[in-house]
Amino acid sequence: MTARIGVVTFPGSLDDRDTQRAIRLAGAEPVALWHKDKDLKQVDAVVLCGGFSYGDYLRAGAIARFSPVMEPVVEQAKAGLPVLGICNGFQILTEAHLLPGAMLGNDHLHFICRDQKLRVENAETSWTGDYRAGQEIHIPLKNMDGRYVADEYTLDQLEAEGRVAFRYLDHNPNGSLRDIAGITNEAGNVVGLMPHPEHAVEPLIGSGRTDGLPFFTSILKKLVNA
């Protein structure tokens, strides 16, 4: 049976179709989910894609967190459903308290769009199993509110528990504390990442790299072997 991965579209989402394509390339079936849906259509995993949900009014992800679809997402994520939040999706996961910390405006106050070098810190989550710890990859980054912040206790806890999933290398593009580009929850089923792996899945388009494809093959293997 083919794994079914839901992709949530909010008003202002930009990367839902790209994410669906990445899922399809990995060999799974993408399932479109609308922000007003309260039924997740029995998907095996969910991706909250990038964009500017609700125009980033109030703050990025703050309104989307209260969309009807988030009620079952939060409930099922706490029960073990794999959930990946990319860029705006990462912001939504912090607003929904599925991941700790918060996302603030870039320290230089400008939108940034670049190919970003990362180091994989945790290759044992549901979404990172096809990487290896310490692996260096390049993933496109595009954000205005990408600065990850948390109190020192939370940051120390994330470090001690190995829950920093990805870290910026060579250059910190947005002022994120401790160069954090992505984190995971304690169970490893919920991952948030600021760069966009769905834009690095085919050699002929996007960044010209395929460094982002393992996100989607990782979850497929996790679901198949569950």
Side-chain angles (χ1 to χ4, degrees):
M1 184 175 67
T2 303
R4 303 172 75 249
I5 302 177
V7 179
V8 179
T9 300
F10 299 94
S13 294
L14 301 178
D15 301 295
D16 43 355
R17 297 298 181 89
D18 304 79
T19 304
Q20 291 174 24
R21 180 170 178 80
I23 290 168
R24 194 175 292 111
L25 286 171
E29 176 188 351
V31 178
L33 299 174
W34 184 232
H35 69 111
K36 291 186 177 181
D37 292 340
K38 281 196 172 182
D39 177 10
L40 297 185
K41 302 180 182 178
Q42 297 183 313
V43 296
D44 302 300
V46 167
V47 179
L48 305 179
C49 65
F52 303 91
S53 59
Y54 296 92
D56 281 352
Y57 287 108
L58 299 183
R59 61 182 177 273
I63 299 177
R65 179 261 179 274
F66 293 101
S67 289
V69 73
M70 288 305 296
E71 183 177 340
V73 168
V74 169
E75 179 182 355
Q76 293 186 39
K78 290 179 178 178
L81 179 75
V83 178
L84 173 65
I86 301 170
C87 195
N88 189 227
F90 187 5
Q91 296 159 346
I92 295 169
L93 289 177
T94 62
E95 291 289 338
H97 305 298
L98 285 174
L99 292 175
M103 309 301 299
L104 300 181
N106 297 341
D107 60 351
H108 45 71
L109 303 181
H110 295 287
F111 180 84
I112 188 168
C113 184
R114 55 173 290 165
D115 199 22
Q116 178 66 46
K117 189 176 182 180
L118 307 174
R119 182 172 62 240
V120 180
E121 302 283 19
N122 185 333
E124 298 181 3
T125 78
S126 297
W127 299 91
T128 59
D130 271 357
Y131 293 109
R132 66 180 184 277
Q135 183 177 351
E136 297 181 2
I137 61 177
H138 290 79
I139 302 288
L141 175 73
K142 50 176 186 173
N143 65 74
M144 181 67 190
D145 299 285
R147 178 163 52 111
Y148 180 76
V149 299
D151 60 80
E152 286 298 311
Y153 174 83
T154 299
L155 292 170
D156 289 343
Q157 186 177 40
L158 290 172
E159 300 275 14
E161 296 176 358
R163 291 171 53 194
V164 175
F166 295 89
R167 214 179 299 266
Y168 296 116
L169 287 184
D170 296 345
H171 171 71
N172 186 324
N174 44 38
S176 290
L177 297 181
R178 304 195 187 182
D179 300 327
I180 291 174
I183 61 174
T184 180
N185 68 342
E186 187 175 356
N189 63 302
V190 179
V191 171
L193 176 76
M194 188 47 55
H196 287 259
E198 76 280 9
H199 294 319
V201 295
E202 295 182 277
L204 295 179
I205 60 174
S207 69
R209 301 174 184 269
T210 60
D211 290 3
L213 190 59
F215 273 90
F216 306 100
T217 56
S218 293
I219 187 59
L220 178 57
K221 290 179 181 178
K222 175 74 174 180
L223 294 171
V224 169
N225 294 325

